[in-house]
Amino acid sequence: MSEIIDALNQLEKEKGISKDKIMEKIESSLVSACERDFGKDAVIEVSMNRETGDISLFQKKIVVEKVENDANEISLVQAKAMNDDAALGDEISIEIKTKEFGRIAAQKARSIIVQAIKEGERDAIYEHFACREKDIITGVVQRYVGNNISISLDDRTDTILNENEQVKGEYYKRGDRIKLYVVEVKKNQKGGFKILVSRTHKDLVRKLFEREVAEVADGTVEIKSISREPGSRSKIAVWSNDPNVDPVGACVGLNGTRVNTIVDDLKGEKIDIINWDEDPAVFIENSLSPSKVVSVSVDTEEKSARVVVPDYQLSLAIGKEGQNARLAARLTGYKIDIKSESQAKQVGYDEDEELEFEFNEDDFDDEEYSDEDYNDKEYDDEEYDDEEYDDEESNDEE
């Protein structure tokens, strides 16, 4: 049996398959094999020596006066022939010799052992990727399958990047390396598993910053919230636990090296990094960067805010197709009504009066700009106005 131990040791070393788990499955497979020869009512005990690989099989039977079920009962006379001290009601173990296995039972045991090794290998792969759930992995593009992309994660595992998890406008060639966010690793009813990956998930941005920015990785700088329109722009709100560490500066890096590395990983997606603040009004003002803000009035119960900006900053505050305002609303969790100073004078409110107003659907749609109701929508980079939303301008404002 030493060759079995050698083979299991090699499997454990090369493929990470637990030798003990395989041996447990071998033991259970031999129990299953015994069912054919000894009946399903038989009580079989199997043990495999972890060092030598030697296998011991025993059938347990209860000592009775009259045998009604030969699979799990033995007569007192037979029991005493094996053990003089046997008595009624005792449980005795009868050793099963390997040669007593029928040919079919032996074949079944062999096939179950092979299956156990395959399952062990699959379980090892599953556990490896289950530990990577909610994290980033790197894969290699293999081919397009319709509109989906087949991606190799290692020599043994592939996954599919579904069309709805791809960023609009991104295209890959065979052999391209791609960073992916692992949304979920789940087993199916057949014993296999599926790795769900994404390029559009907002936590892809979070994990990229954790990898690139040491202060984020060690918890000195916290990413409080993220809003993202994949392929176009993201906003992240950061806060520092250390008053001597500038959270925005730490994330941007010297000459923008850190954030630019992340932008490259996101294929040019713009990133606004703003200071989080426990004061909702300040946080909302920061979130509308790069636009300047005149005043912010907040209703914390309704999670609503109205913002007044200079006339010449209105389009910048709202953004191309409402993007800047929409991302700000998702980042802060507040519905935001933005008006220019002249518009605010026309409706007759200022920052000191109580917040009582209706959203102007022409300027801002409640459903579209509500964080709870937001429906992830992808935007083409070509529609994005770089001049209006330049990152350097954003950082200067902050």
Side-chain angles (χ1 to χ4, degrees), residues 287-300:
S287 73
L288 288 168
S289 173
S291 170
K292 295 183 172 158
V293 173
V294 174
S295 66
V296 180
S297 299
V298 174
D299 185 331
T300 55

Side-chain angles (χ1 to χ4, degrees), residues 128-174:
H128 171 73
F129 285 103
C131 292
R132 305 296 300 278
E133 194 172 270
K134 312 303 181 188
D135 201 354
I136 292 176
I137 56 176
T138 301
V140 178
V141 174
Q142 297 298 304
R143 65 187 183 280
Y144 274 83
V145 182
N147 292 325
N148 302 326
I149 305 175
S150 175
I151 297 172
S152 173
L153 301 180
D154 57 28
D155 293 337
R156 300 170 292 170
T157 314
D158 291 339
T159 190
I160 295 292
L161 179 61
N162 293 322
E163 182 182 12
N164 61 353
E165 297 294 345
Q166 298 173 32
V167 175
K168 184 178 179 181
E170 287 187 357
Y171 182 80
Y172 297 93
K173 304 187 297 294
R174 179 180 174 83

